[in-house]
Amino acid sequence: MIFEANRVRHIAFWSAVSSYVLFVSLVIYGAAIYPEYEHVSRFISELGASGAPTETLIRFGTFLPAGILLMLFSLAALKVLPK
């Protein structure tokens, strides 16, 4: 039982960390290859907007996997944390 709780804690921790690392690194990369994008004057959602040069990368390579990893974190945290 203790071994399982530690494993779930590790899954929760690493899914949260990898979600944020993936999100930040691919948003920075997407902004670098988007010709007129500036972090200060535009929203992140513009990187994944229809017709944007980074649409597919940001939608399916950033938002979707980061969301799945955060859901995994939430489920693992729900199981490990006290009620």
Side-chain angles (χ1 to χ4, degrees), residues 24-39 47 53-54 57-58:
V24 170
S25 61
L26 284 179
V27 165
I28 290 171
Y29 175 72
I33 62 174
Y34 192 104
E36 299 136 7
Y37 185 83
E38 292 183 17
H39 290 285
L47 290 172
T54 55
L57 170 70
I58 298 300

Side-chain angles (χ1 to χ4, degrees), residues 16-31:
V17 169
S18 59
S19 171
Y20 288 111
V21 168
L22 173 76
F23 185 81
V24 170
S25 61
L26 284 179
V27 165
I28 290 171
Y29 175 72

Side-chain angles (χ1 to χ4, degrees), residues 37-81:
Y37 185 83
E38 292 183 17
H39 290 285
V40 176
S41 62
R42 294 196 166 192
F43 295 107
I44 292 174
S45 60
E46 291 181 33
L47 290 172
S50 284
T54 55
E55 175 184 3
T56 305
L57 170 70
I58 298 300
R59 281 187 183 183
F60 300 111
T62 304
F63 293 151
L64 185 64
I68 291 170
L69 286 168
L70 282 178
M71 285 179 18
L72 179 63
F73 162 74
S74 299
L75 293 172
L78 186 65
K79 185 172 181 178
V80 173
L81 294 175

